[in-house]
Amino acid sequence: MAEQFVINGGKKLEGKIIVGNAKNAALKILAASILTSKPVKVANLPQIEDVSRMKELLIDLGAKFYSDTFNCSRLRKTDLNYKIADRFRASIVLTGPLLARFGKVSFPHPGGCTLGKRPIDLFIESFKALGASIKKNGSIFTAISQNKKLIGNKFIFPTVSVTGTETLMMAATLAEGKTVLKNAACEPEIENLATFLNSLGAKISGAGTPMIIIEGVKSLKGGKWGGMSDRIEAGTFIILGVATNSHIKVENCEPDHLDALLAMLQKAGAKLEIGKNYVIVKPAKRLKSVDITTREYPGFATDLQAPFTVLMTQANGISLIHETIYEGRLFYTDILNQMGADIIMADPHRVIINGPKPLHGKKIYSSDIRAGIALIIAALLAKGQSTIDNIYQIDRGYDKIDARLRALGADIKRL
């Protein structure tokens, strides 16, 4: 039988919880280790399923892993293992470094959760812009560059893409000449990746803005990555505290990366103390509904939309949640309705929430990482017992989440 979470809800939480290193940053740093033949030290990796899958892919390619150091000096192939790559979306970021260093890469359509199989046309077109030719044989794509070298060029992203920006930025690092990326994503993880690559000898400027300039270099040296705080995990824990009306201190976070969320929480009536690297959530008497629209950074993060939706089921009034980034990311709200919420799906991108409504325990199913953590929050504030199936999806993004929540007083068990 697959693992489950059993949660007895309705309890106030109290204490402090420490935010871990960012999943979405760590995965890209591991991919970037391919760009150099020298060792790369990656400290404090999140112990989550997606990181384990990325390590498996690298080892399958021939990388050596000692303690917290990766060595990609003797990779034996450039084709991604289908069985591993098909399990998580972030496998696509390996394509840029492999193509840049070896001039060839073969890869399947990346997988993951129900949101995993999204179009990859953007990656195909961006590789073509740098001079690569693309062939498709069945479900496998192969990209090849002439004379094993990519050529710098200007590429304008038709839509803002975090993974696309990171993948092409890494590919351009070893390309001949200058590459200019326009309409690039601005997430803090991209700036962190550029800083890391520059420490290895890359020449990248503008990361964190819509225009990134990369001057190609012939090779990179080794180095180390010290990590960065996971803003999505931090935001999730803050929402958890507000939703359960608890007193929680969220430590090791960057509040500046959470401006959009914190502003909406305060507008809803949450009581927050915001420090330099922490946020304290205090019990509030009454929450009022607010509308949110997800946007690329620095807008309201799509990865925080599901936890915030749960919060709005406990707020007074009617709120509109507008998901503009991903199709189908609101389907989990049907599960919340089964738990007692009053949510109307206006269309695949918008739901209307009428609150507050008491939630009750239910046997439920986690469809993806962010919906999964939202269902944990729902179960923690619900009356009675909930059982959550398919928690593999939650483990993909949150390290030892059950143990960390128990430390706050939550009644959650892994079976």
Side-chain angles (χ1 to χ4, degrees), residues 90-359:
S91 62
I92 192 73
V93 299
L94 292 171
T95 58
L98 286 168
L99 182 59
R101 185 173 161 201
F102 300 102
K104 182 179 180 181
V105 61
S106 294
F107 56 99
H109 197 300
C113 55
T114 56
L115 298 171
K117 292 192 179 299
R118 299 189 285 270
I120 60 170
D121 302 21
L122 185 64
F123 299 90
I124 301 300
E125 294 305 315
S126 64
F127 290 158
K128 287 181 179 178
L130 296 187
S133 61
I134 311 293
K135 294 182 180 180
K136 186 172 185 289
N137 183 9
S139 60
I140 303 297
F141 297 86
T142 299
I144 301 174
S145 61
Q146 291 185 357
N147 300 319
K148 294 187 176 182
K149 268 293 180 182
L150 295 173
I151 307 299
N153 198 356
K154 179 170 72 174
F155 185 77
I156 303 172
F157 289 95
T159 57
V160 176
S161 168
V162 176
T163 310
T165 299
E166 292 164 329
T167 304
L168 196 55
M169 184 171 72
M170 288 190 281
T173 298
L174 298 180
E176 290 183 351
K178 181 170 74 173
T179 299
V180 178
L181 307 181
K182 291 190 174 183
N183 198 30
C186 302
E187 272 68 6
E189 293 81 8
I190 293 173
E191 190 172 0
N192 178 267
L193 174 61
T195 299
F196 170 72
L197 291 170
N198 285 340
S199 75
L200 303 187
K203 296 181 179 179
I204 303 170
S205 60
T209 76
M211 186 169 78
I212 302 175
I213 299 173
I214 306 108
E215 297 282 354
V217 297
K218 290 186 177 180
S219 63
L220 297 178
K221 60 183 180 181
K224 62 180 180 180
W225 179 69
M228 72 174 291
S229 176
D230 192 323
R231 62 191 173 93
I232 303 303
E233 186 172 275
T236 300
F237 293 153
I238 294 168
I239 294 171
L240 166 68
V242 178
T244 57
N245 204 28
S246 300
H247 192 288
I248 294 176
K249 183 178 183 181
V250 180
E251 296 185 336
N252 187 41
C253 64
E254 293 284 346
D256 286 347
H257 293 168
L258 296 165
D259 284 342
L261 170 67
L262 296 177
M264 297 310 293
L265 287 174
Q266 289 174 321
K267 185 177 179 181
K271 294 183 66 175
L272 306 175
E273 179 185 326
I274 303 171
K276 184 179 179 180
N277 60 355
Y278 68 86
V279 174
I280 297 176
V281 180
K282 301 176 182 179
K285 291 184 179 179
R286 186 176 186 272
L287 293 176
K288 61 182 179 179
S289 62
V290 294
D291 301 336
I292 63 163
T293 299
T294 61
R295 298 289 185 195
E296 295 84 3
Y297 187 86
F300 195 99
T302 179
D303 285 348
L304 291 173
Q305 172 261 112
F308 197 88
T309 297
V310 173
L311 175 64
M312 286 298 96
T313 68
Q314 305 305 298
N316 289 268
I318 297 174
S319 55
L320 174 68
I321 308 296
H322 188 184
E323 172 57 59
T324 68
I325 309 297
Y326 293 129
E327 185 84 29
R329 201 163 207 182
L330 290 165
F331 291 155
Y332 70 90
T333 55
D334 181 59
I335 299 174
L336 295 180
N337 281 338
Q338 295 173 33
M339 298 179 74
D342 183 357
I343 303 174
I344 300 170
M345 181 166 284
D347 57 48
H349 288 278
R350 294 178 300 171
V351 293
I352 300 166
I353 306 170
N354 184 27
K357 297 293 181 183
L359 302 184

